[in-house]
Amino acid sequence: QLQLEDSGGGLVQAGGSLRLSCAASGRTDLKYAMGWFRQAPGKEREFVAVISWSGGTSYYADSVKGRFTMSRDNAKNTVYLQMDSLKAEDTAVYYCYADLNIATRRPLYWGQGTRVTVSS
């Protein structure tokens, strides 16, 4: 079992930045890829970004490429999503996830979500 606690959401103006964090606990000995999905009001949950356990590989949705950056600190069992140049369309609840395969994007575990609101 793995527990994920995501945090860092809030209200920011368009063009601003936020950094989300996701702390893992439990079976952190397994080499999980970790990433983020988001769900905007009235829309389906969509993939945002993922990073491998080593931190050497990451993938991003086209909509955030060049603006969002993932990193991780395995000593702290924490991953981060640095979000820059935020747009109103980035407004959503962001959910951290963990998966044993970076490519499948079929989360085994979810965080509780953290809300990001970007005002235009």
Side-chain angles (χ1 to χ4, degrees), residues 31-101:
K31 298 182 178 180
Y32 290 99
M34 293 179 67
W36 300 85
F37 276 68
R38 67 185 181 186
Q39 188 165 21
K43 295 188 177 181
E44 294 187 354
R45 195 171 293 192
E46 64 175 2
F47 169 78
V48 176
V50 63
I51 191 168
S52 63
W53 181 85
S54 69
T57 302
S58 56
Y59 299 108
Y60 299 90
D62 287 343
S63 58
V64 306
K65 204 170 292 183
R67 300 188 297 120
F68 290 11
T69 305
M70 281 207 69
S71 61
R72 69 187 296 161
D73 182 345
N74 287 340
K76 296 181 179 180
N77 297 315
T78 300
V79 299
Y80 305 96
L81 181 67
Q82 178 66 41
M83 305 187 295
D84 298 319
S85 302
L86 283 161
K87 305 175 181 179
E89 49 264 44
D90 295 319
T91 295
V93 178
Y94 284 70
Y95 297 90
C96 175
Y97 79 93
D99 191 358
L100 287 172
N101 187 321

